[in-house]
């Protein structure tokens, strides 16, 4: 029906997914952003919906189509993303796949910054953005399963394990995004599932296949002790 499947392993479960980059304005015509196509996060939202979950997809600016059967909340900045995620709570599970910009400009210019010939450009004063994954992981309305991502260019597994502990989430999907891997912007991914139980290395597969396998694992965790 129009509201999506009522059956499936995650029927009756509410899910929140973040996806895409965030854009942090510098002035009315410029912004700071991360590289992110949104492909992996959108594929996870679609797979959760196919498994019967009621999905809210909080998406930064992307050019790909919104998946069928999910409620999309479009946002621009990290602060908007956090507000949209908190507004979507309570939920049974959350998957934070967005590439959130770590910093924003302290004071967004109301007018376009102009070049001043012969003088140095003014430095940008940056401040740290809120950490959406860490906030949700320690939230009074914390979902029973919180999954984060770790995109690294070095020390992949040790950085991912440190993030798991620091952010208080249950699982981290870790991937190597070094330029040589060709992962960024592509349709394939090679990830490692990091949890308190240890590290699972998954073979390289399409982003859709990573999403399907992750959702299978999520469904398994709800059919076990959490269900
Ligand atoms: N994340 C988030 N909010 C932020 C920064 C990151 O929710 N402000 C989430 C991402 O969506 C991802 C996870 O945290 O699920 C890890 O993001 P990552 O950028 O790898 O970690 P950081 O803690 O920002 O560390 P760093 O960029 O320094 O490696
Ligand atoms: Ca970051």
């Amino acid at each position: 029906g129009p509201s999506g499947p009522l059956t499936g392993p995650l029927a009756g479960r509410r899910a929140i997914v973040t996806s895409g980059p965030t854009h942090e304005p510098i002035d009315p015509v410029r912004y700071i952003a991360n590289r992110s196509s949104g492909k992996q996060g959108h594929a996870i939202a679609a797979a959760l919906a196919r498994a019967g979950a009621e999905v809210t997809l909080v998406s930064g600016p992307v050019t790909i189509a919104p998946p069928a059967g999910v409620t999309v909340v479009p946002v621009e900045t990290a602060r908007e993303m956090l507000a949209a995620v908190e507004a979507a709570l309570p939920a049974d599970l959350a998957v934070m796949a967005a590439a959130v910009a770590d910093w924003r400009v302290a004071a967004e210019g109301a007018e376009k910054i102009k070049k001043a010939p012969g003088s140095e450009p003014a430095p940008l004063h940056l401040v740290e953005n809120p950490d959406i994954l860490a906030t949700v992981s320690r939230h009074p309305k914390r979902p029973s399963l919180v999954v984060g991502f770790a995109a690294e260019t070095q020390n992949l597994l040790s950085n991912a394990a440190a993030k798991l502990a620091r952010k208080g989430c249950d699982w981290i999907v870790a991937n190597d995004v070094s330029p040589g891997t060709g992962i960024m912007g592509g349709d394939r991914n090679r990830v490692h599932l990091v949890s308190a139980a240890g590290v699972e290395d998954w073979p390289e597969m399409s982003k859709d296949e990573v999403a399907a396998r992750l959702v299978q694992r999520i469904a398994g965790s709800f059919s076990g002790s959490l269900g």
Side-chain angles (χ1 to χ4, degrees), residues 19-84:
S19 186
T22 66
H23 286 184
E24 311 296 331
I26 297 170
D27 68 19
V29 301
R30 304 183 179 97
Y31 59 83
I32 296 172
N34 276 19
R35 288 188 201 282
S36 172
S37 64
K39 283 176 186 169
Q40 188 62 82
H42 278 50
I44 291 164
L48 286 167
R50 283 195 298 270
E54 190 187 315
V55 182
T56 300
L57 172 60
V58 181
S59 175
V62 295
T63 57
I64 60 174
V70 314
T71 301
V72 181
V73 181
V75 297
E76 293 268 332
T77 67
R79 285 176 297 172
E80 289 168 6
M81 186 171 275
L82 175 60

Side-chain angles (χ1 to χ4, degrees), residues 34 100 102 163:
N34 276 19
V100 182
D102 290 322
K163 269 176 193 164

Side-chain angles (χ1 to χ4, degrees), residues 125-199:
H125 180 208
L126 302 181
V127 294
E128 200 167 320
N129 268 328
D131 190 313
I132 300 159
L133 175 60
T135 304
V136 166
S137 295
R138 302 194 167 93
H139 202 280
K141 295 182 196 165
R142 186 194 197 277
S144 39
L145 182 66
V146 180
V147 183
F149 272 71
E152 307 287 349
T153 60
Q154 55 184 349
N155 306 325
L156 176 63
L157 295 180
S158 59
N159 277 333
K163 269 176 193 164
L164 185 75
R166 187 167 78 241
K167 292 174 183 258
C169 58
D170 301 297
W171 301 347
I172 289 267
V173 179
N175 65 353
D176 182 343
V177 293
S178 305
T181 64
I183 293 294
M184 294 292 307
D187 289 322
R188 299 187 67 78
N189 209 352
R190 193 165 85 81
V191 308
H192 310 262
L193 186 64
V194 181
S195 71
V199 180

